[in-house]
Amino acid sequence: MKTMLVTGGAGFIGSNFVKHILGKYDNYRLVNLDALTYAGNLENLKEIEEGQKYRFIKGGIADRELVERIFEEENIDYVVNFAAESHVDRSIEDPEIFIKTNVMGTQVLLDVAKKNWVTGKDEFGYPVYRDGVKYLQVSTDEVYGTLGKEGMFKETTPLAPNSPYSASKASADMIVRAYNETFKMPMNITRCSNNYGPYQFPEKLIPLMIANCLNEKELPVYGDGMQIRDWLHVKDHCVAIDTVLHTGKSGEIYNVGGNNEKANIEIVKLIIKTLGKSERLIKYVKDRLGHDRRYAIENTKITTELGWEPSYTFEQGMKETIEWYLENQKWMDNVTSGEYKEYYEKMYNK
Ligand code: NAD
Ligand code: DAU
């Protein structure tokens, strides 16, 4: 039995990943550490039972004492770090928590993992690690900045993050890299493009547009709506992380993307059409500050070296996603009450 510490496992991608791992493997105990911020929701995991294979712990990754206690109580083999503040617009309003969680939290996880995993030193003084351990940092294509009409992000593209969010993720990547260079920490970094699918918090483009369409509310499109993102179904992302964790070469970075570039306005129109609503709902609003124009992921490394490929077509993935939101309006109502209502008023009714 191996033990995996998943952080941020009550969020959008993390909860899909918890279900993926527990559904696929019998030989894993999974410990889920999540602070349950506005974006974390135990309802996302309601079918998972606490027991021999699964334990939930409420708490933050920057809480060193707690992380140390977890490593004392559990024989952790893998750390998969999803925990983060993840929304660009919030990072523009208030960057501080992004640095605390995304940067400081990552450092705490690395440090505690290192202390617990090191068994000795080699002849040069480098730490030697227990067999079979690995730290995986779930990062983002946003660390590369923005693209013009041509080109794609490769793993070797220089980092040029533009928002406080992406700068915090790039900083975390640098720290993970440094732990590998200086301390030989076994690690991988994955940098994925935009995810969509079930359980995504409705502050993000796709669920926000679905929710507003269903409520006949205006659809706020930033700027000219011609910004391009490279969309991947969350389940394909989860399989990619699983693949990198188990077969990725230690120390390597893997880009993850579905070769699926779409302009925002195309997506909004697709949602309107699928839900049988009117394009009159579209409202062009003030652009996001520092708005990245285009992302596109070059995914050859993961597809050729590790054999991963996306399984969803965008058409199928979007159809299923829209159906999921239609069938789970109660989930939507629950997560959009309270704090989110205030956030929405502040962001969109300025
Ligand atoms: P999310 O906002 O839906 O979930 C984040 C989770 O982290 C929540 O459950 C939240 O409670 C938890 N969390 C926040 N602060 C914490 C802390 N201090 N300690 C422990 N838990 C904490 O985010 P998501 O969209 O699921 O993204 C997950 C990860 O994947 C992030 O690291 C993000 O940068 C990365 N990523 C996201 C996308 C995307 O399109 N959503 C794409 C590429 C990479
Ligand atoms: O690329 C990966 C990243 O994708 C992840 O690292 C982030 O965690 C995730 O939030 C996402 O970032 P984006 O900024 O690309 O996603 P978001 O859903 O916020 O916006 C997608 C595009 O839609 C972007 O160009 C902004 C635009 N947009 C967004 C919202 C919320 C609108 O036009 N109107 C909106 O109301």
Side-chain angles (χ1 to χ4, degrees):
M1 186 77 106
K2 285 215 158 204
T3 305
M4 188 184 294
L5 174 62
V6 172
T7 69
F12 164 47
I13 308 173
S15 63
N16 277 285
F17 184 74
V18 166
K19 284 176 237 182
H20 166 80
I21 292 294
L22 292 176
K24 179 170 169 190
Y25 298 101
D26 281 329
N27 59 335
Y28 270 113
R29 172 167 171 79
L30 196 152
V31 179
N32 177 7
L33 170 64
D34 195 299
L36 297 182
T37 66
Y38 76 93
N41 186 352
L42 287 179
E43 251 189 81
N44 300 358
L45 295 164
K46 59 179 184 309
E47 62 268 49
I48 311 283
E49 276 175 29
E50 291 266 339
Q52 211 201 341
K53 286 188 73 184
Y54 178 73
R55 175 181 178 193
F56 176 77
I57 300 167
K58 181 175 184 303
I61 55 168
D63 181 345
R64 179 177 290 268
E65 262 178 49
L66 174 63
V67 176
E68 278 172 354
R69 204 162 67 236
I70 295 171
F71 271 82
E72 272 160 30
E73 288 173 10
E74 302 280 350
N75 189 24
I76 307 291
D77 299 288
Y78 292 131
V79 176
V80 183
N81 183 25
F82 291 93
E85 289 293 334
S86 70
H87 192 37
V88 174
D89 291 329
R90 287 186 192 249
S91 82
I92 296 167
E93 293 294 304
D94 188 4
E96 192 175 343
I97 186 69
F98 285 74
I99 310 304
K100 285 189 175 148
T101 296
N102 302 2
V103 186
M104 312 286 278
T106 298
Q107 198 274 330
V108 168
L109 290 175
L110 285 164
D111 213 45
V112 178
K114 174 173 155 287
K115 279 196 184 123
N116 281 272
W117 286 346
V118 167
T119 54
K121 279 186 184 167
D122 71 9
E123 55 182 314
F124 307 104
Y126 286 111
V128 171
Y129 291 77
R130 203 173 90 205
D131 271 351
V133 297
K134 193 188 261 185
Y135 177 96
L136 190 146
Q137 177 73 3
V138 181
S139 187
T140 167
D141 61 356
E142 298 202 12
V143 297
Y144 299 120
T146 187
L147 292 165
K149 284 199 171 67
E150 303 294 322
M152 294 178 113
F153 297 134
K154 298 190 172 69
E155 286 83 356
T156 50
T157 302
L159 303 192
N162 289 319
S163 71
Y165 161 70
S166 52
S168 70
K169 293 295 289 184
S171 307
D173 285 12
M174 290 299 199
I175 296 167
V176 177
R177 184 181 173 280
Y179 266 70
N180 177 255
E181 286 291 326
T182 300
F183 305 123
K184 303 287 175 219
M185 167 73 96
M187 67 76 167
N188 289 120
I189 297 173
T190 55
R191 294 189 179 137
C192 189
S193 57
N194 286 62
N195 284 211
Y196 69 97
Y199 299 103
Q200 185 166 33
F201 195 82
E203 65 190 350
K204 306 282 166 66
L205 179 76
I206 289 178
L208 186 143
M209 295 299 165
I210 296 173
N212 283 14
C213 254
L214 290 174
N215 294 312
E216 302 275 345
K217 274 170 73 174
E218 281 172 350
L219 308 177
V221 174
Y222 298 165
D224 62 1
M226 291 306 291
Q227 302 82 4
I228 289 175
R229 298 291 182 266
D230 182 352
W231 294 93
L232 184 75
H233 195 280
V234 63
K235 289 189 180 163
D236 281 328
H237 187 190
C238 292
V239 174
I241 293 169
D242 176 1
T243 306
V244 171
L245 186 68
H246 291 103
T247 61
K249 192 166 158 242
S250 178
E252 294 293 314
I253 296 168
Y254 296 91
N255 281 353
V256 184
N259 291 321
N260 182 41
E261 292 181 51
K262 303 274 178 228
N264 294 339
I265 191 67
E266 267 183 84
I267 296 204
V268 174
K269 288 186 175 169
L270 172 71
I271 293 169
I272 293 173
K273 192 167 168 227
T274 311
L275 290 172
K277 303 289 176 176
S278 161
E279 288 190 9
R280 282 198 298 273
L281 287 173
I282 294 172
K283 185 182 179 203
Y284 289 92
V285 299
K286 199 157 89 28
D287 208 353
R288 175 185 277 176
L289 301 182
H291 199 169
D292 288 338
R293 193 68 183 167
R294 175 172 165 255
Y295 303 147
I297 277 278
E298 154 75 78
N299 69 4
T300 332
K301 184 170 172 180
I302 189 168
T303 54
T304 57
E305 289 182 19
L306 305 186
W308 170 87
E309 280 199 353
S311 65
Y312 279 86
T313 62
F314 189 62
E315 291 64 34
Q316 184 60 22
M318 277 299 283
K319 185 173 169 284
E320 284 181 25
T321 300
I322 293 172
E323 280 164 8
W324 186 88
Y325 281 98
L326 279 170
E327 284 160 15
N328 289 276
Q329 292 192 44
K330 182 96 183 63
W331 179 91
M332 188 71 107
D333 291 346
N334 288 347
V335 300
T336 51
S337 62
E339 191 269 354
Y340 182 68
K341 271 204 173 117
E342 281 167 40
Y343 166 82
Y344 196 90
E345 283 302 310
K346 194 169 137 209
M347 289 299 297
Y348 294 97
N349 296 325
K350 286 180 187 169

